[in-house]
Amino acid sequence: MTQINKLKIFNDPIYGFITIPNELIYDLIQHPYFQRLRRISQMGLSYLVYPGANHTRFHHALGCMHLMQKAVDTLRFKGVAISSEEECALLIAILLHDIGHGPFSHAMESSIVEDVHHEAISLLFMNQLNEEFEGRLSLAIQVFKGEYHRKFMLQLISSQLDMDRMDYLKRDSFYTGVAEGNVNSERLIQMMNVVDDVLVIEEKGIYSVEKFLLSRRLMYWQAYLHKTSLVAELILMKVLKRAKELTLKGIALPCSEPLSYFMNNKVTLDDFDASKLELFSQLDDFDIISALKAWQRQDDFVLRTLSKMIINRDLLKIKMSVEKIPMEESQALKEEFAEMHHISQLEAGYFIFRGKIKNQAYSKEAEPIRILKKDRTIEDVVEASDQLNLKSLSKLVTKYYICFPKQLI
């Protein structure tokens, strides 16, 4: 039998060549659970605004693993002892951190798999893979859950300055063309160190941290919370909610088998056994898009109209405001729209609704980004920085919106 060479390289448009460091990681990448990420878009419906934003969670996971390799090399160079087992655990944990994302995951989490977050599903996938790989992921799972005694390892995977954020900002900035989001991940990693088991950034890297936080704030307003991306995602949530409502009333809607299962059943985290996980692993963006295409021809006015909006990119109008939008405004629009299309006000609520979005580049409540000063003292980046804008970046900004059909303008 021919031996397969498992030490492959990927050519990545962001970092150049990414190497697969060992056979276990190659086998994990080859697994159907991980290959599914090729069919899950990293930025959901943002391609309706930025046509280049078609990259996938597969790209992102490999990029995160590459950055983790760089971080381990840097920390070892600075005298931080990291064994080969710990290195492998870090690489696996970051590689699989997003494996539980469903198609257009934020829309899914609020409609079809109710209140089951992708982090919880990622852990279920990791436990399942650990069984298949005879316990070789145990340490990675311990690190991922924050149960490993070396605290800095979790900070590399999940914190306010982790490999996940460093990759998605750089990658999403590249594919959208939003240059403001481009972060200098190489410099940030070079400035990392560990003191008393905690991740710190050396003082000379403070400007890179400031730029990273500013980039994050700008990417949220320009890309992730862009009003057209936002309204498209909100419409998708309404479509899935309506489809589930009709299905539970006994109306058969054309869609794939896995999607049909989640539409017909209320699935909570406690219900996620191996068979449900297997069904979930068969769901990807194609199930949702092909369902939307079929639902454009359904009898139900709400489902049909909303599905067409996404397929043809003829979306609802969205109006943003710093002030809360009065309920009377949306009520009047609902009444007008319901009368215009001979539908109930409840159904009109699928087209006219209010909400709010929040943006905070740096949270003082979460674990801080620590700066290692020249005198070896450690300070929160907000205190260590001489830039006033960091104080404003830690302020929570709330904006209110109302969505309504264009014909009501």
Side-chain angles (χ1 to χ4, degrees):
M1 195 175 149
T2 2
Q3 185 66 36
I4 301 171
N5 170 23
K6 294 184 175 181
L7 303 177
K8 304 280 186 190
I9 55 172
F10 286 95
N11 195 349
D12 182 71
I14 314 287
Y15 311 115
F17 293 113
I18 293 178
T19 55
I20 295 180
N22 59 51
E23 295 198 354
L24 172 59
I25 286 177
Y26 173 88
D27 291 336
L28 286 169
I29 290 170
Q30 281 294 89
H31 195 283
Y33 288 170
F34 192 81
Q35 288 293 318
R36 180 184 78 99
L37 297 181
R38 290 182 185 272
R39 303 185 302 279
I40 305 273
S41 160
Q42 173 69 14
M43 288 184 71
L45 291 164
S46 291
Y47 63 82
L48 295 175
V49 182
Y50 299 105
N54 277 306
H55 55 303
T56 66
R57 294 197 180 274
F58 182 87
H59 282 127
H60 165 60
L62 291 176
C64 290
M65 182 190 75
H66 173 74
L67 292 182
M68 187 65 87
Q69 285 173 298
K70 298 281 180 208
V72 168
D73 291 347
T74 299
L75 294 175
R76 277 184 178 153
F77 180 73
K78 292 180 182 179
V80 180
I82 298 171
S83 69
S84 55
E85 288 76 19
E86 287 172 329
E87 178 185 15
C88 190
L90 280 169
L91 295 177
I92 290 170
I94 197 71
L95 184 74
L96 303 180
H97 78 284
D98 267 354
I99 200 169
H101 268 288
F104 307 106
S105 67
H106 303 296
M108 282 282 290
E109 282 169 15
S110 351
S111 48
I112 288 190
V113 280
E114 288 156 66
D115 299 325
V116 184
H117 296 291
H118 66 267
E119 292 93 342
I121 300 175
S122 289
L123 196 54
L124 293 172
F125 274 126
M126 286 165 89
N127 287 326
Q128 182 65 33
L129 287 166
N130 198 29
E131 271 183 47
E132 287 181 36
F133 286 88
E134 297 168 344
R136 289 162 76 197
L137 276 71
S138 298
L139 186 56
I141 291 169
Q142 224 182 323
V143 172
F144 183 79
K145 288 165 80 175
E147 291 171 358
Y148 193 57
H149 66 277
R150 304 190 76 184
K151 189 181 173 184
F152 77 90
M153 292 193 173
L154 177 64
Q155 291 172 302
L156 288 169
I157 293 160
S158 177
S159 67
Q160 295 205 72
L161 187 63
D162 55 25
M163 301 305 117
D164 175 33
R165 289 182 184 193
M166 272 188 224
D167 181 80
Y168 77 61
L169 286 172
K170 200 171 179 66
R171 191 169 296 280
D172 297 349
S173 154
F174 176 86
Y175 281 99
T176 55
V178 177
E180 290 81 357
N182 192 6
V183 295
N184 191 346
S185 49
E186 212 158 291
R187 167 108 178 129
L188 284 163
I189 288 171
Q190 286 300 322
M191 294 297 109
M192 285 182 168
N193 209 333
V194 172
V195 175
D196 297 333
D197 207 38
V198 166
L199 196 66
V200 294
I201 300 289
E202 290 161 9
E203 190 174 12
K204 57 191 172 193
I206 194 163
Y207 297 124
S208 301
V209 176
E210 288 171 359
K211 165 74 169 63
F212 168 83
L213 293 172
L214 185 60
S215 298
R216 191 162 183 265
R217 153 68 56 89
L218 294 172
M219 276 300 281
Y220 267 84
W221 287 137
Q222 280 187 258
Y224 311 128
L225 297 176
H226 183 289
K227 64 190 184 103
T228 308
S229 305
L230 176 66
V231 77
E233 188 169 293
L234 291 165
I235 294 169
L236 182 58
M237 279 158 65
K238 299 284 180 192
V239 172
L240 295 173
K241 187 173 172 243
R242 182 62 171 179
K244 187 155 189 168
E245 199 177 285
L246 294 171
T247 305
L248 294 175
K249 280 182 182 168
I251 297 167
L253 295 176
C255 64
S256 70
E257 211 175 302
L259 183 56
S260 173
Y261 178 83
F262 286 99
M263 301 255 283
N264 278 290
N265 297 279
K266 190 175 167 64
V267 181
T268 65
L269 190 56
D270 298 336
D271 302 324
F272 255 98
D273 55 18
S275 64
K276 309 276 190 308
L277 196 63
E278 186 54 43
L279 272 167
F280 186 85
S281 77
Q282 291 167 37
L283 275 178
D284 56 48
D285 288 7
F286 296 99
D287 295 79
I288 303 291
I289 296 294
S290 52
L292 290 174
K293 285 169 72 179
W295 296 345
Q296 292 178 103
R297 290 179 294 281
Q298 291 303 298
D299 293 337
D300 183 70
F301 173 80
V302 175
L303 188 69
R304 181 176 75 239
T305 313
L306 291 174
S307 298
K308 276 182 189 168
M309 282 180 179
I310 296 177
I311 295 295
N312 302 324
R313 199 199 177 276
D314 186 10
L315 307 167
L316 294 169
K317 184 88 181 141
I318 181 167
K319 195 171 84 180
M320 307 287 266
S321 166
V322 287
E323 302 290 323
K324 209 168 182 178
I325 292 158
M327 199 174 168
E328 301 78 58
E329 192 177 329
S330 61
Q331 190 51 41
L333 290 170
K334 270 187 211 173
E335 286 168 14
E336 189 186 335
F337 191 72
E339 204 174 315
M340 193 188 287
H341 292 281
H342 312 294
I343 56 173
S344 70
Q345 286 204 30
L346 198 68
E347 289 169 322
Y350 277 95
F351 299 88
I352 296 132
F353 47 88
R354 301 169 307 144
K356 63 181 176 185
I357 48 171
K358 293 175 178 178
N359 186 0
Q360 186 178 29
Y362 182 70
S363 166
K364 286 180 172 176
E365 280 69 61
E367 198 171 333
I369 295 174
R370 296 176 176 88
I371 302 295
L372 177 65
K373 308 284 285 274
K374 288 188 176 69
D375 62 5
R376 308 298 290 168
T377 58
I378 293 172
E379 248 184 327
D380 184 327
V381 67
V382 174
E383 309 309 321
S385 164
D386 56 3
Q387 300 290 312
L388 287 170
N389 66 3
L390 267 206
K391 296 217 171 21
S392 65
L393 286 177
S394 54
K395 198 171 114 242
L396 183 67
V397 179
T398 304
K399 286 188 183 178
Y400 299 90
Y401 63 80
I402 181 167
C403 299
F404 53 90
K406 287 172 182 166
Q407 62 260 52
L408 294 179
I409 297 170

